[in-house]
Amino acid sequence: MASKLRLGVDVGGTNTDAVLLDISQGVIASAKHPTTPDVTRGIQQAIKDVIDQVPKSTDIQSVSIGTTHFVNALIERDPARLDRVAVIRLCGPFSHGTPPFVGFPLDLRAFLQGPCFLVSGGLQIDGREISPVDPCEIESACKELAKSNVRAVVVSSVFAPTDSTIKQEEHVASIVRTALNHVNVVCSKDVAHLGLLERENAAILNASLLRYAKMTVAGFQRATRSLNLKCPVFITSNDGMLLSCAQASQLPVKTFSSGPTNSMRGAAFLAALESDVSKQSALVVDIGGTTTDIGMLLPTGFPRQAAAHHELCGILLNLPMPHVTSIGLGGGSLVRQSPSTGNVVVGPDSVGHRITSEALVFNGSTLTATDIAVAVGRVAVGDSSLAENISPSILDGAQKTIKAKLQNTLDIMKTSAADIPIYLVGGGSILTPDELEGVSRVHRLPHYDVANAVGAAVAQISGVVDSFEDTSSMSVSEVRKIVEARAIERAVSAGADPQCVTIIESEVIPIAYTSGRCRFYVKAAGEWDGFSAHDEVVIRPSPPEIEFSDVPCYPLPIPTKADISSYVPNVQNGQWFLSEIDLEWIADGCYVLGCGGGGSPLHTFLELREMVRNGSIIRVVDLAFLPPDAVVGWGGGMGSPEVSSERLLGKEYDEACAELWNFLGITKPEALCALEIGGGNGMVNLIVAASQNYDIPVVDGDFMGRAYPTLHQITPNVFDESGKGLNFLPSVISSGDGNIMIMTRAKRDTDADAALRAACVEMGTDVGLASKPLKTKDLEMSMIANTISLSWRIGRAIALARKQSNVGQVGRIVVDSVGGSKSAKVLFSGKIADVRRRLHKGHTIGEVVITALVYENDDSSEVTEKFSGRLVVPFKNENLYAEHTSADGQTIIKAVVPDLICVLDAQSGSALGTQEYKYGLRVVVIGITAAPQWTGTVRGMAIGGPAAFGFHDVPYVPLGVYTRPRSVIEEYGHQG
């Protein structure tokens, strides 16, 4: 059988690597060249060097290139490589408050934003159309676009990734291409997965790069042809797959993170060549001159993927990306010893590519990590005699610090407590000791310094299915097999060898509040068959260059970062006028008060920020501002996060309010109040109350003081002894697209929640809910006061911790912000060691296990309070109680519902929802004493205490003494 020779190239920030390898035997030749300003020229030189080493290599099957061309164009904001983009969003009445580009940094938004059209179309979660596409609307949009100088158009539709039959995006794209044959058109479903705003963002970035991508890919083809290579040319993608040149020229955004993926794929291939290494999970440690990248390699040989949403250049995306953690440790890292404490610090600053002139062993004057490795005999580079005078205390301290940095980061990336092997790649791998805690074996692989290029050479072909499927008539396992077969078929159609295609990812995701439907995500992959070649494409000449002087500047001032400690909110005449900064802090605080549930407030925050930027006025008042008989409306959203992340907020809550008020004969109430302060519902009333809508204030308070999973778990219901929901019925729910239902009476308060949720599922699984307006005098007892102020204070505390680089103290800082140690406590800090979750009757239930950290000589571990043992936190959408087990087996309940149990990411200070819990995360757990509306009555405890969740044997012991949050209006109303 003829050898399967593959040529792989990877372009890094410092070097461009190339390898020629035999798929069955390994690396035949390799080369490393400095990356040139003309990156294509550097690729050509590296390829030529490899070919010259094997002059008879005439049977090269393919060239695979991992490149930074496209992501660099975005990072550098280069107008010669980026185009303005128009967007046609098919959404019907939904998402108008969060238009395209809403989450972009202002500089990129001004640079890229073209005309945007929000038109009829989109699907519901069950595949029904929100509304059909209206061709007349699309044709009208095309006439407007013809007057502009945009070169690229994105078509995005609600639930487009699940639309395999109606194909709304494809239909609209066809109309646009017919009307505007000079523009590039991108369908969002071709770029990324579920999550409308994040998918649309990725599609916009992709569209902005298309003109440049076509020119670049053509350059790659010319470079290989000039070397007499007639084989297909591929570009490697973020997930370790091959893109033909035609595909890469249409989907350049899929190459953004190909470098780390190539490193891990290369390590997997090199490890497989070792006779004593079997397919296994392993951590790949890629140590360069300045940083160390660590990623998890699965037994499939592919990297573990990052969370559904991630950020690039300040833009949220949901592209498939490898989960990689980076730390400031490399061969050029500076080594310093504190004269006062004797502690040795390694990095994060580095001499980088200047190591060969600045490190001691290269006759320089800077002590680096490489000098330490030479001094202890781990490697022989430079002149080792120049490292002989490094003091023993520095040598010992530096080795301990390097070891601790690696061990702590490796532990974060592990998926279980079991020991795991690591594969070392990258030129800086000389720093790694042979033994590390939690590591079963350290593998030093051959050709470790060109693993990225090896990964490019062995990239495969994939097929992906991401869809919602009916599971009412077949079992989930049966449906999974059908979906997996579909994914395999797609991989083979794309050019994978049918004999070696395997399933590398297969996930079933239940949909909250919905039975009989699940989301299936399946990826199949296999080696390229060696025959299917799709790279021979004709690159049409670009249209005449358009001058960028006609690009309008987005008419928004770019806000400067306020000094957090001196920022003063705008309070006038008893009213608090919210700014962007206020909204950002309130959003962060609401997520913390969600106690793991309530859903992320992100999209609500983006809508509110957009409103404020466009001149809308949003007011908050204390309850005392209103007369005793003033009518206060309240409500929020009800439904599934899977829907609200795709079918973004429309007018469903506005419509529910209007319908209820009309039913009750109310024009509009004097104010609005939040149903719950936790999560997105903590902010949704601010939208309806804004000056561009009802122009009424929002009362500083809510009816939960946190988040709870059901409607009847509200404080007005605590004070209704009838148990029939008289304080929240009648209630109205609206689908936002024409369906409205009112419920006036219920036999039991729990029946009302069950009936409304059942109707919610039939109405799209996400509705607006408005409940019976109440009088100010009624709220004096039932409303939990000043919770908007509380969320603001929590958000400000987190922002202050970040600004002062004091996130390690975020637990204590948040405790201080909510009243101090008498009313709140840091319950625990440690690492998530296990997560168990399942869906039951529409709610996510489970538990998270957190174990204490072992603190070593690591300069990043700056904590004032250290814990031991472990903490278990059961949850039902929200966290329910916290049980601590000491090292000697003693157990104690440290906090229990209705007291708030909030889990924060210890590295960022951000709140974590229960859906975001995963092994390895460093977390801080905070307990906050609940309001007396819950704890002060028997009925309050029956509705909101542990027994309400089935924990009849868990007694409630107050965490502390409740502290009424101080009103922002009260504090700042007399200033200025």
Side-chain angles (χ1 to χ4, degrees):
M1 181 180 292
S3 297
K4 294 182 179 180
L5 299 183
R6 306 278 171 87
L7 207 157
V9 183
D10 188 83
V11 182
T14 304
N15 294 307
T16 296
D17 301 335
V19 298
L20 183 66
L21 61 79
D22 185 314
I23 288 293
S24 59
Q25 297 181 22
V27 177
I28 297 172
S30 64
K32 186 180 289 286
H33 279 268
T35 297
T36 56
D38 176 6
V39 179
T40 304
R41 178 67 178 165
I43 291 172
Q44 193 172 15
Q45 291 173 348
I47 291 175
K48 184 178 184 302
D49 195 350
V50 167
I51 293 175
D52 288 347
Q53 294 177 48
V54 189
K56 295 184 180 180
S57 56
T58 58
D59 53 350
I60 296 174
Q61 285 189 319
S62 65
V63 176
S64 305
I65 301 171
T67 178
T68 56
H69 278 72
F70 307 126
V71 72
N72 286 348
L74 177 66
I75 292 169
E76 295 164 13
R77 270 70 159 171
D78 185 352
R81 295 182 283 176
L82 296 170
D83 288 329
R84 231 170 12 121
V85 180
V87 179
I88 300 175
R89 184 191 286 174
L90 314 178
C91 56
F94 299 104
S95 78
H96 288 240
T98 43
F101 297 94
V102 69
F104 275 55
L106 287 177
D107 61 332
L108 260 179
R109 186 171 182 174
F111 196 68
L112 296 179
Q113 181 170 350
C116 297
F117 307 89
L118 279 65
V119 299
S120 301
L123 269 61
Q124 300 283 10
I125 191 171
D126 59 5
R128 293 175 294 167
E129 287 183 303
I130 294 171
S131 58
V133 169
D134 183 347
C136 293
E137 281 187 300
I138 309 305
E139 290 164 3
S140 176
C142 289
K143 289 177 183 177
E144 291 296 316
L145 290 173
K147 301 173 187 176
S148 69
N149 282 328
V150 294
R151 287 181 169 132
V153 176
V154 164
V155 179
S156 64
S157 173
V158 176
F159 281 114
T162 69
D163 181 10
S164 58
T165 54
I166 303 171
K167 299 185 178 179
Q168 287 191 348
E169 282 193 353
E170 293 90 333
H171 178 38
V172 171
S174 175
I175 296 173
V176 175
R177 290 189 181 104
T178 300
L180 305 169
N181 57 17
H182 66 284
V183 304
N184 293 306
V185 183
V186 174
C187 291
S188 77
K189 68 191 294 185
D190 295 332
V191 178
H193 303 306
L194 290 165
L196 176 66
L197 216 55
E198 295 76 16
R199 181 176 69 255
E200 186 177 77
N201 291 346
I204 288 168
L205 297 184
N206 190 77
S208 73
L209 286 161
L210 287 181
R211 178 176 54 87
Y212 174 61
K214 291 178 181 178
M215 293 188 296
T216 302
V217 168
F220 290 164
Q221 291 176 316
R222 287 193 298 271
T224 56
R225 299 298 176 262
S226 70
L227 296 170
N228 296 318
L229 291 172
K230 296 182 172 55
C231 58
V233 177
F234 294 99
I235 313 298
T236 61
S237 69
N238 302 328
D239 56 356
M241 302 301 166
L242 292 172
L243 298 172
S244 69
C245 280
Q247 292 170 326
S249 68
Q250 292 298 318
L251 296 167
V253 74
K254 290 196 172 183
T255 70
F256 279 5
S257 289
S258 61
T261 299
N262 286 342
S263 173
M264 287 187 270
R265 290 283 295 139
F269 178 82
L270 294 171
L273 296 176
E274 302 289 291
S275 59
D276 60 340
V277 178
S278 59
K279 285 189 176 182
Q280 59 188 339
S281 292
L283 287 166
V284 176
V285 181
D286 187 351
I287 306 180
T290 302
T291 61
T292 295
D293 294 334
I294 300 176
M296 170 63 75
L297 196 65
L298 302 174
T300 59
F302 288 88
R304 183 175 73 201
Q305 295 299 292
H309 299 159
H310 41 270
E311 194 173 283
L312 179 68
C313 296
I315 303 167
L316 277 177
L317 308 171
N318 62 350
L319 293 163
M321 296 270 198
H323 180 203
V324 175
T325 292
S326 298
I327 57 173
L329 175 65
S333 293
L334 272 59
V335 178
R336 293 177 293 264
Q337 185 173 38
S338 169
S340 57
T341 66
N343 289 341
V344 177
V345 176
V346 180
D349 42 351
S350 168
V351 298
H353 64 274
R354 302 187 307 277
I355 189 169
T356 53
S357 60
E358 295 191 15
L360 297 183
V361 295
F362 294 110
N363 209 30
S365 58
T366 304
L367 178 60
T368 69
T370 295
D371 297 317
I372 301 298
V374 171
V376 300
R378 192 166 286 132
V379 66
V381 296
D383 184 350
S384 60
S385 66
L386 299 175
E388 290 177 351
N389 294 326
I390 301 173
S391 74
S393 65
I394 291 179
L395 286 176
D396 182 62
Q399 290 184 88
K400 287 181 177 178
T401 298
I402 290 170
K403 186 174 184 178
K405 276 178 171 284
L406 287 172
Q407 285 180 169
N408 288 340
T409 310
L410 288 167
D411 195 46
I412 290 173
M413 293 299 292
K414 289 166 66 176
T415 55
S416 74
D419 287 357
I420 191 169
I422 66 170
Y423 301 154
L424 292 177
V425 296
S429 59
I430 55 173
L431 305 180
T432 307
D434 291 328
E435 293 185 359
L436 291 165
E437 186 177 328
V439 173
S440 59
R441 181 179 173 186
V442 175
H443 293 270
R444 301 181 186 274
L445 303 173
H447 306 289
Y448 64 89
D449 56 338
V450 289
N452 285 29
V454 173
V458 299
Q460 296 188 348
I461 301 286
S462 70
V464 176
V465 175
D466 185 359
S467 64
F468 290 94
E469 302 289 339
D470 185 352
T471 56
S472 61
S473 57
M474 286 190 290
S475 68
V476 170
S477 60
E478 289 173 318
V479 177
R480 188 202 292 257
K481 289 179 181 178
I482 293 171
V483 177
E484 289 178 347
R486 202 185 308 160
I488 290 171
E489 182 181 347
R490 289 187 181 181
V492 172
S493 298
D497 184 346
Q499 302 301 315
C500 65
V501 177
T502 59
I503 299 296
I504 61 171
E505 288 185 61
S506 184
E507 187 176 7
V508 181
I509 307 162
I511 305 167
Y513 311 124
T514 303
S515 60
R517 285 183 75 80
C518 288
R519 179 183 171 191
F520 290 80
Y521 180 83
V522 178
K523 178 185 287 185
E527 188 180 317
W528 177 51
D529 62 16
F531 304 104
S532 304
H534 306 108
D535 71 319
E536 294 299 334
V537 295
V538 177
I539 307 296
R540 293 189 179 91
S542 298
E545 288 296 310
I546 298 170
E547 294 295 328
F548 273 77
S549 59
D550 70 337
V551 176
C553 179
Y554 194 75
L556 296 174
I558 298 178
T560 57
K561 285 288 185 184
D563 185 351
I564 295 169
S565 59
S566 63
Y567 172 77
V568 176
N570 180 11
V571 179
Q572 301 177 40
N573 300 319
Q575 299 182 88
W576 175 14
F577 296 85
L578 300 184
S579 69
E580 285 189 37
I581 292 175
D582 295 327
L583 291 169
E584 184 176 344
W585 293 353
I586 291 169
D588 282 345
C590 283
Y591 206 18
V592 172
L593 295 174
C595 303
S600 169
L602 173 64
H603 293 148
T604 311
F605 159 69
L606 290 175
E607 180 166 349
L608 286 162
R609 186 179 69 179
E610 190 77 354
M611 293 167 67
V612 169
R613 287 178 173 178
N614 288 320
S616 195
I617 296 170
I618 303 170
R619 298 174 287 147
V620 174
V621 298
D622 289 337
L623 186 62
F625 182 86
L626 303 173
D629 288 328
V631 175
V632 179
W634 59 282
M638 172 186 279
S640 167
E642 285 84 358
V643 177
S644 59
S645 67
E646 180 70 33
R647 200 196 72 188
L648 305 183
L649 187 66
K651 295 292 185 181
E652 52 267 37
Y653 181 43
D654 307 49
E655 292 174 0
C657 289
E659 186 75 17
L660 178 62
W661 301 341
N662 180 64
F663 176 78
L664 296 173
I666 300 171
T667 303
K668 68 176 181 180
E670 279 83 353
L672 288 175
C673 184
L675 162 68
E676 58 184 336
I677 195 63
N681 271 340
M683 302 185 77
V684 72
N685 282 275
L686 299 171
I687 296 174
V688 178
S691 59
Q692 71 183 57
N693 295 315
Y694 285 101
D695 193 18
I696 53 179
V698 173
V699 178
D700 189 358
D702 77 300
F703 295 146
M704 291 187 183
R706 45 170 298 141
Y708 271 115
T710 59
L711 175 60
H712 70 277
Q713 291 176 304
I714 52 173
T715 50
N717 195 36
V718 171
F719 297 95
D720 171 22
E721 295 293 340
S722 74
K724 295 182 179 181
L726 298 183
N727 283 343
F728 65 87
L729 293 177
S731 287
V732 170
I733 58 174
S734 170
S735 66
D737 63 348
N739 297 311
I740 294 178
M741 191 185 84
I742 185 166
M743 186 168 187
T744 60
R745 289 188 296 174
K747 185 178 180 180
R748 292 182 295 267
D749 52 11
T750 53
D751 294 341
D753 178 79
L756 290 169
R757 287 191 186 277
C760 169
V761 171
E762 294 301 316
M763 294 164 66
T765 322
D766 191 49
V767 297
L769 164 75
S771 291
K772 175 185 177 180
L774 301 171
K775 297 287 185 69
T776 301
K777 58 187 178 184
D778 300 321
L779 269 59
E780 290 173 356
M781 179 180 293
S782 63
M783 189 190 79
I784 301 174
N786 303 336
T787 51
I788 296 179
S789 292
L790 178 62
S791 64
W792 182 88
R793 294 182 189 282
I794 293 171
R796 182 180 64 168
I798 293 170
L800 191 62
R802 291 169 180 159
K803 183 178 178 65
Q804 296 175 341
S805 300
N806 200 19
V807 175
Q809 309 289 334
V810 71
R812 176 186 57 77
I813 292 170
V814 170
V815 165
D816 290 343
S817 74
V818 300
S821 59
K822 289 185 178 181
S823 58
K825 292 181 174 63
V826 178
L827 301 176
F828 201 73
S829 69
K831 181 192 75 170
I832 293 180
D834 193 16
V835 184
R836 309 180 190 100
R837 57 169 68 89
R838 61 189 176 90
L839 201 67
H840 178 67
K841 294 185 178 180
H843 299 285
T844 300
I845 64 174
E847 65 178 22
V848 58
V849 180
I850 305 164
T851 57
L853 294 174
V854 176
Y855 297 94
E856 299 188 50
N857 183 25
D858 177 11
D859 53 273
S860 66
S861 297
E862 299 177 1
V863 293
T864 55
E865 187 176 3
K866 298 179 180 180
F867 295 86
S868 61
R870 69 172 191 168
L871 192 76
V872 176
V873 181
F875 53 83
K876 177 183 177 183
N877 287 16
E878 288 79 32
N879 303 316
L880 299 178
Y881 67 84
E883 182 181 64
H884 179 256
T885 303
S886 64
D888 60 2
Q890 300 285 327
T891 62
I892 185 172
I893 302 293
K894 302 193 73 171
V896 62
V897 67
D899 287 347
L900 287 69
I901 301 165
C902 314
V903 180
L904 275 58
D905 184 327
Q907 295 178 303
S908 69
S910 299
L912 292 172
T914 58
Q915 74 281 3
E916 296 166 313
Y917 296 164
K918 62 180 180 180
Y919 178 90
L921 278 179
R922 261 56 173 183
V923 296
V924 176
V925 184
I926 296 171
I928 304 172
T929 306
Q933 283 90 338
W934 293 114
T935 60
T937 66
V938 173
R939 181 164 168 79
M941 289 303 300
I943 293 174
F949 298 93
F951 299 112
H952 299 280
D953 57 343
V954 177
Y956 172 71
V957 177
L959 177 74
V961 178
Y962 176 72
T963 299
R964 178 185 170 110
R966 188 179 183 189
S967 161
V968 165
I969 296 168
E970 175 190 314
E971 180 177 356
Y972 295 98
H974 303 292
Q975 297 191 15

